[in-house]
Amino acid sequence: MTEQTASPIAGMAPATSRLEPNAISVAQDTLIGLADTGPTVSVSFSLVLLIAATAYAAPLVLAITAIPMLIIANAYRRLNLWNANCGASFEWVGRAINPYLGYMTGWLMLAGTLFGTLTPVTAVGPSVLAVFNSPANSRWPNIAIATGLILVMTIISIVGIRITARTQVIIGVVEYLILIAFAVWGLTWLLGHHAGTMPITSAWFSLHGIGSKGSLVGGFLITVFMYSGWDGTLYVNEEVKHRRENPGRAAMLAVAIAGVLFILAQVGFQGVASYNKLNANSTSVLVYIGHLLTGSGVGGQVLAFALALSVIAATGVGIVLSARIMYGIASYRALPSSLANVSPRFHTPLVATVVASTVLLALGWVYLLTTSVQSAFSYVLNNTGILYATFYCITALAAMVYYRRRVMSSFRDALTLGILPLASVAFLGYVAVKSILSAPAAQKYSLLGFVVVGLILILVARFGLRSPFFQIKRESWTPES
């Protein structure tokens, strides 16, 4: 049995040019997904939080979380075999379940990617300044660095997906080698029983940690959001070699590699010093660990450099992916059709890239200049993980609905297209609901704001832009003769 291709939709916005096909390999696409996950940034932000939440049982929690993520990634892979389109879940959900739900899913994808990219944009300044031992909180240097980063990555994004992919390869190789080297160094330091280290015990690989004081749910709330971003491999699917097969493979590879990096870094770093010392340096914990391991500021500067590379990569990929999502949605006139314009020279969505970069630049300036709104922004940023978990769940459900006839064809299909995705949806849904229930009121209101904006955009697309997307018929897999 072979996968079927999606049927065309009448009324799509005409394109004077197309994205460049067969431009990047599966390895390059994997690194794009990894960059959006941001392993070094995730480790830096989450190391101390995971120790506190899990009582040092984070390695097992990270390993467990990788399983449903791989299952969801496989659902993406199967959907991409059916329809390889930059809109991804926007179109998959719209065709398989309902176009209105598909549009809301597309909006959540775009909002999650844009606001998720704002985190590295605002973090790049302190990371770069730490490399040069400069004060991390200097306002205008932070603004200048963030602005320069966005402008440079915008130019790279416009010039073409090939240079973007090559840039990600160079950054990724250097960043991950540094992270792996220091994680192994930290593990060696730990096994050498240096003064002040926390010895490895069986509790590190248990469900509830040392003294059974860890919270499994608390750990999952953090680790689920650490893995978010691997789906970026699917938003450049029209530019990947073997566009139907490779983006899904890249997504699964990105999850697997991220899991290995997360577990290795957590094991290697969480015991190099006491929790109190790590927590006291939580704002720059990797810099502190590098200084501790090398006995000088050089180690801290090297890890700060890796962190800077990670935020640079995440920012560049965030711009690229946001532009592709806009392009995919606008292709159906569900956003202004100008966003679907592709540069005949560079074969990139020029207008969408400029819009995504401008939004990031404006948000970054507001955040860095106006201290009074930073707390409000933090609530919005904390919701990005919930947005990711939500559209992961909806996309997995779309795979189940589309392949519902195939689910009953064999035990393997029942397992991979039915039972396991449903269990993964239940897991991610539970984590998302727990996150919402435990969130402060302001964060809940900001989450409601995302939903309201999505509903307004649906009305604009349906009645203002008269998008043909809302007229599509439901599709499902059927046995081919």
Side-chain angles (χ1 to χ4, degrees):
M1 290 184 290
T2 59
E3 305 294 339
Q4 298 169 319
T5 57
S7 56
I9 297 177
M12 286 182 61
T16 56
S17 183
R18 285 292 181 189
L19 301 176
E20 184 178 2
N22 302 316
I24 58 178
S25 67
V26 65
Q28 292 172 322
D29 195 21
T30 301
L31 284 168
I32 286 175
L34 273 173
D36 201 34
T37 302
T40 307
V41 174
S42 295
V43 169
S44 178
F45 287 164
S46 305
L47 179 68
V48 177
L49 294 175
L50 275 176
I51 296 173
T54 66
Y56 287 87
L60 182 60
V61 175
L62 283 163
I64 292 173
T65 306
I67 297 172
M69 285 296 180
L70 280 170
I71 294 169
I72 299 291
N74 186 54
Y76 272 72
R77 183 185 69 83
R78 295 301 294 266
L79 288 169
N80 196 71
L81 288 172
W82 161 45
N83 185 6
N85 179 282
C86 281
S89 298
F90 159 77
E91 185 161 348
W92 299 332
V93 176
R95 287 175 178 264
I97 301 178
N98 179 274
Y100 293 92
L101 182 60
Y103 193 99
M104 180 60 75
T105 304
W107 160 243
L108 295 180
M109 289 159 46
L110 181 57
T113 304
L114 272 172
F115 282 93
T117 307
L118 184 59
T119 299
V121 165
T122 56
V124 67
S127 301
V128 173
L129 293 172
V131 175
F132 300 100
N133 287 324
S134 300
N137 296 321
S138 302
R139 176 177 295 180
W140 286 106
N142 272 273
I143 291 173
I145 292 170
T147 302
L149 170 63
I150 292 174
L151 293 177
V152 170
M153 300 314 289
T154 299
I155 293 171
I156 292 174
S157 300
I158 289 173
V159 169
I161 192 65
R162 291 180 185 271
I163 188 172
T164 295
R166 290 167 185 165
T167 302
Q168 292 299 329
V169 169
I170 295 172
I171 292 176
V173 168
V174 176
E175 174 196 342
Y176 304 144
L177 284 177
I178 293 174
L179 183 64
I180 291 170
F182 273 87
V184 172
W185 191 343
L187 183 57
T188 304
W189 179 276
L190 180 59
L191 295 175
H193 303 290
H194 284 261
T197 57
M198 289 289 294
I200 297 177
T201 68
S202 59
W204 281 32
F205 306 96
S206 67
L207 290 176
H208 300 291
I210 297 175
S212 297
K213 295 180 179 179
S215 168
L216 196 59
V217 173
F220 286 143
L221 293 179
I222 299 169
T223 56
V224 163
F225 303 148
M226 288 177 67
Y227 280 95
S228 298
W230 51 262
D231 51 301
T233 63
L234 281 303
Y235 307 140
V236 292
N237 52 16
E238 296 186 31
E239 299 154 290
V240 180
K241 296 176 182 176
H242 305 295
R243 57 183 283 185
R244 295 179 65 199
E245 295 87 5
N246 280 343
R249 294 172 182 167
M252 298 189 71
L253 283 170
V255 174
I257 295 171
V260 172
L261 290 173
F262 288 153
I263 294 169
L264 177 62
Q266 193 71 32
V267 172
F269 292 150
Q270 72 176 9
V272 297
S274 68
Y275 169 75
N276 289 335
K277 289 186 177 180
L278 292 176
N279 188 46
N281 294 276
S282 60
T283 56
S284 56
V285 67
L286 291 186
V287 175
Y288 169 74
I289 289 172
H291 181 89
L292 178 66
L293 294 177
T294 61
S296 68
V298 175
Q301 288 177 298
V302 173
L303 274 173
F305 178 63
L307 183 59
L309 289 177
S310 187
V311 297
I312 290 169
T315 302
V317 163
I319 293 171
V320 168
L321 300 182
S322 299
R324 267 52 178 191
I325 295 171
M326 288 182 189
Y327 163 82
I329 298 175
S331 296
Y332 296 96
R333 296 205 318 270
L335 285 175
S337 57
S338 61
L339 294 173
N341 290 344
V342 175
S343 166
R345 178 179 179 184
F346 300 116
H347 300 286
T348 54
L350 179 60
V351 176
T353 302
V354 172
V355 169
S357 302
T358 302
V359 170
L360 279 176
L361 191 61
L363 292 174
W365 271 65
V366 170
Y367 181 89
L368 293 171
L369 276 176
T370 314
T371 307
S372 60
V373 304
Q374 288 187 4
S375 59
F377 262 75
S378 68
Y379 293 131
V380 174
L381 297 179
N382 289 339
N383 280 327
T384 56
I386 297 174
L387 299 182
Y388 274 96
T390 301
F391 67 73
Y392 285 167
C393 288
I394 297 174
T395 305
L397 290 173
M400 295 169 62
V401 171
Y402 177 76
Y403 286 106
R404 60 186 179 275
R405 294 184 181 89
R406 189 160 183 171
V407 167
M408 305 306 297
S409 64
S410 68
F411 174 76
R412 178 181 178 182
D413 285 332
L415 187 66
T416 59
L417 293 172
I419 298 171
L420 292 179
L422 186 60
S424 299
V425 168
F427 172 79
L428 290 181
Y430 174 75
V431 170
V433 170
K434 289 290 290 185
S435 298
I436 294 171
L437 292 177
S438 62
Q443 185 176 334
K444 294 176 183 176
Y445 284 124
S446 65
L447 187 61
L448 179 62
F450 280 116
V451 175
V452 171
V453 171
L455 293 174
I456 293 172
L457 289 175
I458 287 175
L459 293 175
V460 171
R462 173 67 178 85
F463 299 105
L465 300 176
R466 299 185 182 277
S467 169
F469 182 74
F470 298 96
Q471 310 303 320
I472 62 174
K473 296 180 181 180
R474 289 180 60 188
E475 298 181 35
S476 63
W477 180 90
T478 54
E480 292 182 347
S481 56

